[in-house]
Amino acid sequence: MGSSRAKEQRAARARIEEMRRADAARERRNRIITWTCTGVIVAGVIGGGWYFVQDARKKDEVREAVAAAPVKGEKSFKDLGRDHVTTPVEYTMSPAVGGDHNPVWMNCNGDVYERKIDETNAVHSLEHGAVWVTYNDKAAAKEVSALKERVQRTPYTLMSPYADQSSPITLSAWGRQLDVESASDPRVQQFFDRYVQGEQTPEPGAACTGGKSA
């Protein structure tokens, strides 16, 4: 009896030891699977993050390249005077895109003027980084209305009629000018994006309020 009981106890201990080894082996497999899955997930996150970072970087580079490129058809003017004067100024382009100008700027915080404004005040606004939208009687009423809406929602812009320009619609910034016929021309938005407080601005951040109003 004693011998039989001893054999049963040894057998039981052996089964328990086998179960422990099996449990330990299972835990090792689970840890390996967990580590592997975690590694795959981490690698995926890192790889995906790298992809999105690179994709965002490429998009930024494209946007910067577009912003840096001249707007198709624009005219460029250099060597523009910047003295403050209170006498009339003879500008070499119409409308003017720079040169000597009145000490007081025209308010340009999305301001729309229904009548002709003093050009020397408007040029001072351009010096502050504004875009000046002008039009003559060749511009269709719906185009003028669309431009007014765009200007009114865009700080550092102003708009007024200008009879002596050759194009129905003209956009002017300091040293830059673009003629278009339609408010829907995609170059209008390109001009705004590039030149409202753009790199051409002689006095970036200067006020567009507190100046002269109609």
Side-chain angles (χ1 to χ4, degrees), residues 125-194:
S125 301
L126 303 187
E127 186 181 41
H128 288 191
V131 166
W132 181 21
V133 179
T134 53
Y135 61 95
N136 60 21
D137 57 7
K138 296 178 184 177
K142 65 177 184 179
E143 305 296 341
V144 174
S145 179
L147 286 167
K148 286 181 179 179
E149 292 181 5
R150 183 186 294 270
V151 167
Q152 287 171 335
R153 64 174 183 264
T154 309
Y156 282 93
T157 64
L158 69 162
M159 180 174 175
S160 68
Y162 193 100
D164 297 331
Q165 64 185 41
S166 59
S167 175
I169 300 167
T170 299
L171 284 70
S172 302
W174 186 271
R176 304 289 189 273
Q177 193 163 80
L178 176 69
D179 294 331
V180 298
E181 295 186 0
S182 170
S184 61
D185 189 318
R187 295 177 298 164
V188 173
Q189 187 61 52
Q190 292 172 11
F191 196 90
F192 273 46
D193 290 342
R194 180 159 171 73

